[in-house]
Amino acid sequence: MGKIAINIATGTIQTKDVIVGIDLGTTNSLVAIVRSDTRQPIALREIDGFSLVPSIVHFDAFGNTVVGNPARELLISQPERTIYSAKRLMGKSYKDVYDHKGFFAYKVYDDGTDALVKVQIGDRFYSPIELSSFILKELKTRAEHVLKMNVSKAVITVPAYFNDAQRQATRDAGRLAGLDVLRIVNEPTAAALAYGLGDKSRGEQTIAVYDLGGGTFDMSVLRLSDGIFEVISTNGDTYLGGDDMDNAIAAYWAGLTGMASAENISLRQELRVTAEKAKKHLSTHNEFNGVVNGVQVSLSREKFNELIQPIVDKTMLCCRAALKDAGMQTTEIDAVVMVGGSTRVPLVKDSVSRFFGKEVFDQLNPDEVVALGAAVQADILAGNNTDMLLLDVTPLSLGLETMGGLMDVLIPRNSKIPNKAGRQYTTQKDGQSGMRISVFQGERDLVKDNRKLAEFNLTGIPGMPAGLPKVEVTFLVDADGILKVSATELRSGVAQSIEVKPQYGLTDEEVEKMLMDSLTHAKDDIKIRALVEATTEARQMLDTTAKFLHKHREMLEDDEVATTTAFMNKLEKAIEMQDKDKIQQATESLNDVSRPFAERVMDAALKDAMRGKKIV
Ligand code: AMP
């Protein structure tokens, strides 16, 4: 029987239609799928043969857009209308990007607040989410064109260091583009997956991912254990990459040929374009010869290596720092994966290989490897590949309802899955034979504000005094994101379990709303939780005292009973008034007046017991 995978974030059942993998990059983006015939991931190519779509959007005066290469051609002539590197703005405020505002040739709008940035084009404003959605829409259209079918589901990659807001922004961009984003995957994890490093048979491993692109460098150390990829450390430089190599070459030639002082933008541009050509040529040749503005330029591999040595050195320092943060030696790294176009440079490859003392994984196209991994992840989600691992985190906390309607969290939000957690509970009443297990999802302290996922009764608990049964409740979220809840009374072995049904899943909007609510209501929740806890304790106190009075009436004086009853009434009143401090005070007072009787009863019981012994 086939397994149905349910994403607990969206509640969707994954059917067999294609799920694409998308690398939404700073410089270039692309789509990949796993071919149903060969089971291999491939990047989708348009008739032009190119898989990469430059992550650039151009807006004309009417707000119409073009994306990719045609937009790139307008970078120089219409800088204020041509948006590149929108990914750098994802989930950022103007203050966050202030230090690098010179990097953007278009207008990043400063509203003087901590609010998320917008880009201003003419009199229109665009959020980075909208800008990214234009790129994703283009990728979706391309994929539909190549595959000749509707594409509506995707896995999208993000840098490992992206925070929640940036991940959410990426999800939102997908949704705006008409894509159901089934999962957000870390770029280094995707790269490792593309090389098959997620195969279950490989066991525990530590993987270093070296990602040198056009404008960014990321170094990540991942650990694969118990079926989960975990990011142990990340390091890098968000403004370091192949562009710096081009600039180094351009500056060198400018110095040699006297073009250094060139104010002419198009000449500078020509220098840079030729410099990039030289760099790429030198990845496979020893010598480059070209012409810039009618002047002969040349570059040897040796000179090139000398020019880029400082850039390579910087990346090696980041590698060292990432290892240090991970508390590891190079010898503890089992595999090194190369990602990003700039890792084609022989000096880069050799330096990384020498640093880690081993061969690197570089057989796949370094521009495509992240998208290929996203496709592998998509294929796993589609249920086609069971040898590989599923990786995700729980989007919202999972917990149980406890006394007073409080949420008791067993698996906090953002926990890795698969995951297992258990906790022991007990009964409230003597002889209680059943226990209701209500499972909730959400961040609020009171279950009424969260979403109920499931409910069942554990029945058949043998009669025992309150507090004696030990009911162990276990939550198990499996790799498909399906939650199984089981409850066992440990003394008797009575057990019950349930699999949480898909109709309880949440849409992303609901997840987002619940998170927002939990932030907005955090203060209220703490107050309410304190009140509920005080009330629960008070009720227990009242219950025990009432039982005590009933059972030991003959050992108490009339006025003692009267005083105790008066204090009990006072506590009842405080509960009615829902005043936490009053409830606590009244509980304490009741405790104070009833303690001496309780001690007296205990003493009497002890004496009885001793007397009993003597007789025997
Ligand atoms: P990415 O951001 O991963 O797409 O990487 C793009 C960077 O890789 C740009 O700086 C390119 O110039 C660089 N690149 C692409 N192909 C080569 C190559 N054959 N040799 C050296 N660098 C390359």
Side-chain angles (χ1 to χ4, degrees):
M1 200 184 81
K3 204 167 36 167
I4 301 173
I6 297 141
N7 183 329
I8 56 172
T10 61
T12 48
I13 298 175
Q14 269 112 47
T15 50
K16 286 287 173 190
D17 49 87
V18 69
I19 307 172
V20 297
I22 295 180
D23 172 5
L24 181 61
T26 309
T27 325
N28 294 304
S29 299
L30 71 153
V31 190
I33 58 153
V34 168
R35 280 180 64 144
S36 55
D37 48 355
T38 59
R39 314 294 323 137
Q40 290 302 310
I42 50 151
L44 297 183
R45 282 165 217 284
E46 273 285 17
I47 317 158
D48 58 13
F50 290 113
S51 59
L52 299 188
V53 177
S55 307
I56 303 173
V57 191
H58 173 267
F59 294 81
D60 71 11
F62 307 103
N64 302 315
T65 55
V66 286
V67 175
N69 280 315
R72 183 150 92 160
E73 280 161 22
L74 299 165
L75 263 182
I76 305 293
S77 59
Q78 297 189 35
E80 72 288 351
R81 301 195 151 271
T82 313
I83 315 303
Y84 54 89
S85 286
K87 185 174 176 179
R88 292 185 187 275
L89 303 174
M90 282 297 237
K92 297 275 178 88
S93 69
Y94 183 76
K95 280 187 185 157
D96 291 333
V97 293
Y98 180 81
D99 285 347
H100 293 285
K101 66 178 191 301
F103 174 86
F104 304 98
Y106 47 87
K107 188 157 180 192
V108 180
Y109 182 66
D110 177 13
D111 66 353
T113 72
D114 279 338
L116 297 178
V117 283
K118 294 229 160 175
V119 166
Q120 184 175 2
I121 301 157
D123 55 2
R124 292 181 202 228
F125 296 89
Y126 296 91
S127 70
I129 296 176
E130 289 168 280
L131 296 170
S132 299
S133 82
F134 287 116
I135 297 163
L136 290 170
K137 229 179 266 170
E138 170 73 16
L139 296 174
K140 173 173 148 68
T141 309
R142 279 179 153 239
E144 287 176 339
H145 188 226
V146 177
L147 296 171
K148 313 232 170 345
M149 65 192 288
N150 187 35
V151 170
S152 62
K153 295 188 165 97
V155 167
I156 304 182
T157 57
V158 295
Y161 58 78
F162 254 29
N163 62 26
D164 253 17
Q166 293 169 303
R167 285 164 199 264
Q168 191 55 48
T170 306
R171 261 183 192 283
D172 291 344
R175 199 164 334 126
L176 260 185
L179 289 168
D180 182 5
V181 183
L182 299 182
R183 200 158 290 189
I184 295 286
V185 180
N186 289 323
E187 288 162 9
T189 303
L193 277 174
Y195 276 105
L197 296 173
D199 198 303
K200 282 175 190 161
S201 62
R202 286 179 171 262
E204 189 164 321
Q205 309 184 68
T206 308
I207 302 159
V209 180
Y210 179 102
D211 180 350
L212 188 61
T216 58
F217 171 61
D218 293 317
M219 169 68 200
S220 320
V221 180
L222 310 175
R223 180 178 293 132
L224 176 60
S225 69
D226 294 336
I228 298 164
F229 273 107
E230 188 183 353
V231 179
I232 313 179
S233 69
T234 61
N235 207 292
D237 188 330
T238 45
Y239 291 87
L240 183 69
D243 297 347
D244 298 294
M245 299 183 185
D246 307 344
N247 290 338
I249 300 171
Y252 167 67
W253 282 340
L256 279 186
T257 58
M259 289 190 267
S261 59
E263 285 299 303
N264 186 335
I265 291 182
S266 71
L267 177 58
R268 278 219 308 265
Q269 183 63 11
E270 197 187 337
L271 256 177
R272 278 201 30 211
V273 168
T274 316
E276 186 182 8
K277 220 184 262 170
K279 171 185 76 176
K280 289 182 176 174
H281 184 81
L282 290 172
S283 286
T284 44
H285 300 81
N286 284 321
E287 191 74 35
F288 171 83
N289 290 297
V291 180
V292 177
N293 199 26
V295 180
Q296 196 79 32
V297 288
S298 67
L299 190 65
S300 68
R301 165 90 64 89
E302 212 180 346
K303 184 67 199 175
F304 171 63
N305 285 351
E306 189 189 313
L307 291 173
I308 64 166
Q309 189 67 55
I311 297 165
V312 177
D313 288 347
K314 266 193 197 168
T315 70
M316 299 325 297
L317 283 177
C318 294
C319 290
R320 214 175 284 281
L323 279 181
K324 188 159 175 258
D325 287 349
M328 288 194 161
Q329 308 288 328
T330 49
T331 48
E332 291 171 80
I333 301 291
D334 300 306
V336 183
V337 174
M338 301 296 263
V339 182
S342 303
T343 58
R344 292 199 182 90
V345 173
L347 180 71
V348 171
K349 219 178 275 187
D350 294 346
S351 306
V352 176
S353 181
R354 210 173 319 119
F355 178 82
F356 287 101
K358 54 171 60 69
E359 290 270 304
V360 296
F361 280 89
D362 65 350
Q363 303 82 348
L364 295 174
N365 181 333
D367 289 318
E368 296 179 348
V369 62
V370 167
L372 296 178
V376 170
Q377 174 71 62
D379 193 47
I380 301 170
L381 285 174
N384 299 329
N385 184 343
T386 49
D387 295 333
M388 299 278 261
L389 302 157
L390 276 173
L391 339 139
D392 207 355
V393 294
T394 54
L396 289 168
S397 303
L398 295 166
L400 280 188
E401 173 174 1
T402 56
M403 287 254 289
L406 287 179
M407 172 89 173
D408 194 18
V409 172
L410 271 86
I411 299 185
R413 115 190 179 74
N414 277 339
S415 298
K416 293 171 293 188
I417 63 173
N419 203 320
K420 195 178 169 183
R423 199 163 291 166
Q424 278 188 17
Y425 298 88
T426 189
T427 48
Q428 301 298 325
K429 297 204 177 81
D430 290 343
Q432 187 177 331
S433 67
M435 198 170 189
R436 201 176 46 150
I437 312 286
S438 305
V439 184
F440 285 82
Q441 182 179 39
E443 305 313 305
R444 302 286 300 275
D445 273 353
L446 289 179
V447 293
K448 73 173 176 57
D449 299 318
N450 292 331
R451 170 69 75 104
K452 187 188 275 182
L453 292 179
E455 189 168 70
F456 65 99
N457 279 314
L458 176 65
T459 52
I461 302 173
M464 280 183 255
L468 207 58
K470 281 189 184 169
V471 176
E472 167 111 350
V473 178
T474 312
F475 276 29
L476 179 82
V477 183
D478 72 13
D480 291 331
I482 297 171
L483 170 67
K484 282 203 190 74
V485 182
S486 54
T488 311
E489 200 291 301
L490 298 176
R491 294 183 194 276
S492 59
V494 172
Q496 211 104 34
S497 76
I498 192 174
E499 195 162 305
V500 173
K501 298 289 189 298
Q503 66 262 37
Y504 298 110
L506 300 175
T507 64
D508 281 3
E509 285 89 348
E510 288 170 303
V511 170
E512 202 173 331
K513 181 172 177 314
M514 290 175 90
L515 291 177
M516 291 306 289
D517 280 356
S518 79
L519 293 176
T520 331
H521 296 289
K523 271 195 198 126
D524 296 351
D525 275 5
I526 291 171
K527 264 199 211 139
I528 294 173
R529 179 175 271 269
L531 175 64
V532 170
E533 277 169 357
T535 310
T536 306
E537 201 192 332
R539 289 239 158 85
Q540 259 170 348
M541 186 75 204
L542 283 170
D543 196 38
T544 334
T545 317
K547 265 191 208 154
F548 181 87
L549 288 184
H550 180 71
K551 214 168 163 186
H552 305 288
R553 177 67 187 83
E554 78 288 354
M555 296 184 71
L556 305 170
E557 302 293 335
D558 285 350
D559 63 327
E560 286 178 334
V561 175
T563 321
T564 313
T565 313
F567 274 97
M568 287 171 76
N569 289 338
K570 220 170 148 187
L571 181 52
E572 293 275 12
K573 283 245 168 54
I575 293 176
E576 253 167 55
M577 286 161 66
Q578 303 209 336
D579 181 326
K580 188 206 83 184
D581 293 338
K582 285 216 170 76
I583 297 173
Q584 279 174 333
Q585 276 164 16
T587 309
E588 258 171 52
S589 310
L590 178 59
N591 193 25
D592 289 345
V593 292
S594 58
R595 195 184 303 121
F597 321 147
E599 280 165 7
R600 201 186 312 152
V601 172
M602 286 284 287
D603 287 350
L606 262 179
K607 267 186 215 146
D608 269 356
M610 304 291 275
R611 211 175 299 129
K613 271 209 177 109
K614 264 183 217 154
I615 294 167
V616 170

